[in-house]
Amino acid sequence: MTERNPTVVVTSDETLPGIVERLLEAANGGRTVDLVVPIDSALLLTAREFRILKDAIVDNRIPLVLR
């Protein structure tokens, strides 16, 4: 059986630093993480937020699938 990727689902009360922290925990050991951003989420509405998230992912070498 194939092991599923850990999943981080963004909730409406989270901050970007909190999400990055959860991603780091989920990626422990180099696992690919599925990041789920609901359509009605306020996260990633601006280019600045997207760049901050992207930089954190690249800097920490987090394998990620954005959904």
Side-chain angles (χ1 to χ4, degrees), residues 3-21:
E3 187 175 325
R4 295 182 62 187
N5 294 340
T7 301
V8 172
V9 179
V10 174
T11 61
S12 61
D13 61 340
E14 287 187 285
T15 63
L16 198 49
I19 293 166
V20 170
E21 184 177 324

Side-chain angles (χ1 to χ4, degrees), residues 20-42:
V20 170
E21 184 177 324
R22 288 181 55 211
L23 288 172
L24 288 169
E25 290 173 11
N28 186 21
R31 297 183 298 176
T32 299
V33 178
D34 290 339
L35 176 61
V36 179
V37 181
I39 193 83
D40 60 348
S41 173

